[in-house]
Amino acid sequence: MSEKKVTDMSFEEAMAALETVVGQLESGQVPLEESIALYERGAALKAHCEQKLKEAEEKVAQITQGADGSATGATPVDIT
């Protein structure tokens, strides 16, 4: 079975895949070599999700800025 490339995933798909990876790793039933590959995929999924969140945050910031560049009542969100 071919896994979808991380860069082609939506945020929701990447989060679901990350949850699956974490579950497999936490089970302790995965051989060492497969665990390493899962960990690498999990790290890529995490980075992809963080990037998608950053992009969304930037879009919201653009939407909530007034014509003069000042905030229009929006409160910055800390995603860390």
Side-chain angles (χ1 to χ4, degrees):
M1 180 176 92
S2 175
E3 292 182 337
K4 189 172 187 178
K5 288 174 48 175
V6 172
T7 55
D8 293 339
M9 292 182 170
S10 68
F11 174 80
E12 293 78 10
E13 290 172 322
M15 281 297 295
L18 183 56
E19 289 174 4
T20 299
V21 167
V22 170
Q24 289 175 315
L25 289 171
E26 287 180 342
S27 76
Q29 302 299 313
V30 182
L32 179 60
E33 290 300 317
E34 189 176 340
S35 291
I36 293 168
L38 281 170
Y39 184 85
E40 290 171 344
R41 182 161 175 83
L45 288 163
K46 178 183 175 281
H48 183 67
C49 288
E50 288 173 342
Q51 181 61 37
K52 289 288 190 183
L53 286 173
K54 182 180 177 188
E55 290 169 6
E57 183 181 43
E58 290 170 358
K59 285 181 184 178
V60 169
Q62 289 175 354
I63 293 168
T64 57
Q65 285 183 348
D68 63 355
S70 64
T72 58
T75 304
V77 177
D78 182 11
I79 61 168
T80 57

